[in-house]
Amino acid sequence: MTDEVPVTAEQHKSSVRTTGTDHVTIWGSNAENVLSFYRDLLGMRLVLRQPNLDDPSQTHLFLDTGDGRILTFFVNDDRPAHSGPQRVGTGAVHHVAFRVAPERFAEVGEALEEDGRGYNLFDRGIFHSYYTRDNDGLTVEITTDKYDIPDERRAEVLAEAQRLREEDGAEYAGEEHLKAALEELGIEAEPHDMPDAPSGTGGV
């Protein structure tokens, strides 16, 4: 069934059409643990703090991820950190991912090491990613593009790379499909210098 669903950059004929991601909310432990990772390490700005309107015993933290899109956390100063892996299964969040500028990508690994955090670096074919965990055990991916893809054409580029991947009979979209997609769509984009890394296929 999954393989039969068409992949396309065209808008689906749905009754509702979203215009973007407003925010994602995560159950955090306490403000200190959340801010030490997302603000102090990843550089997100704390832009709003107020009570959780559904449960005033908790605080609701709003952080700007860098482009005006918001990540929020419910925290309580009495809630201890959860350092182990998060619950898995249907309905659970597998990971969250944030983008950094290609020229700053190498600094991510250095910062993670300086902070004493373990991580994995993978070449995901169409982008590069570091994987680590926040202070409450949530898997966090920090990714960067191999090419400068205009945000307004990202869906179009990915859908074209998918078409080329299927045409090629490849298991997953690789850099060659991304490059060919950009050429097919007439988008001029220079490749960024990325470090060598394993693909990480088969799971993180």
Side-chain angles (χ1 to χ4, degrees):
M1 173 61 182
T2 302
D3 292 339
E4 297 172 2
V5 178
V7 174
T8 176
E10 298 297 319
Q11 288 283 355
H12 189 69
K13 293 180 180 179
S14 57
S15 56
V16 176
R17 183 169 294 176
T18 62
T19 58
T21 301
D22 186 273
H23 68 277
V24 173
T25 299
I26 296 172
W27 286 106
S29 54
N30 55 71
E32 181 180 0
N33 273 330
V34 168
L35 294 178
S36 67
F37 182 82
Y38 291 93
R39 182 193 62 184
D40 302 342
L41 180 62
L42 299 189
M44 297 182 188
R45 294 176 294 171
L46 177 64
V47 294
L48 182 65
R49 177 179 54 229
Q50 63 184 22
N52 175 353
L53 299 183
D54 298 316
D55 180 1
S57 70
Q58 299 184 92
T59 300
H60 198 177
L61 304 178
F62 291 67
L63 293 108
D64 181 350
T65 61
D67 59 1
R69 292 179 175 87
I70 302 298
L71 182 69
T72 84
F73 292 84
F74 291 147
V75 298
N76 186 301
D77 286 342
D78 296 327
R79 189 180 298 152
H82 173 78
S83 57
Q86 294 287 308
R87 176 180 66 87
V88 296
T90 303
V93 173
H94 183 275
H95 71 279
V96 293
F98 308 103
R99 199 186 314 165
V100 297
E103 62 271 17
R104 304 294 298 273
F105 188 66
E107 297 174 18
V108 174
E110 297 169 5
L112 292 171
E113 289 179 7
E114 288 176 6
D115 205 47
R117 295 182 184 275
Y119 65 85
N120 291 310
L121 170 62
F122 292 129
D123 178 347
R124 291 306 205 183
I126 56 176
F127 51 86
H128 261 58
S129 293
Y130 289 98
Y131 287 82
T132 188
R133 293 188 190 276
D134 73 4
N135 290 332
D136 292 319
L138 178 64
T139 298
V140 175
E141 178 184 5
I142 305 168
T143 184
T144 199
D145 287 328
K146 290 186 174 183
Y147 290 81
D148 281 322
I149 303 173
D151 282 343
E152 67 275 10
R153 302 197 68 183
R154 182 173 297 274
E156 189 181 359
V157 171
L158 293 179
E160 180 64 13
Q162 166 75 9
R163 185 188 69 77
L164 293 167
R165 176 194 76 80
E166 290 178 343
E167 188 178 90
D168 197 29
E171 185 177 356
Y172 60 89
E175 184 173 355
E176 65 275 19
H177 304 115
L178 179 63
K179 181 180 179 181
L182 290 166
E183 292 174 352
E184 288 277 345
L185 296 170
I187 299 173
E188 295 185 8
E190 292 295 320
H192 297 292
D193 186 23
M194 292 286 113
D196 291 331
S199 69
T201 54
V204 176

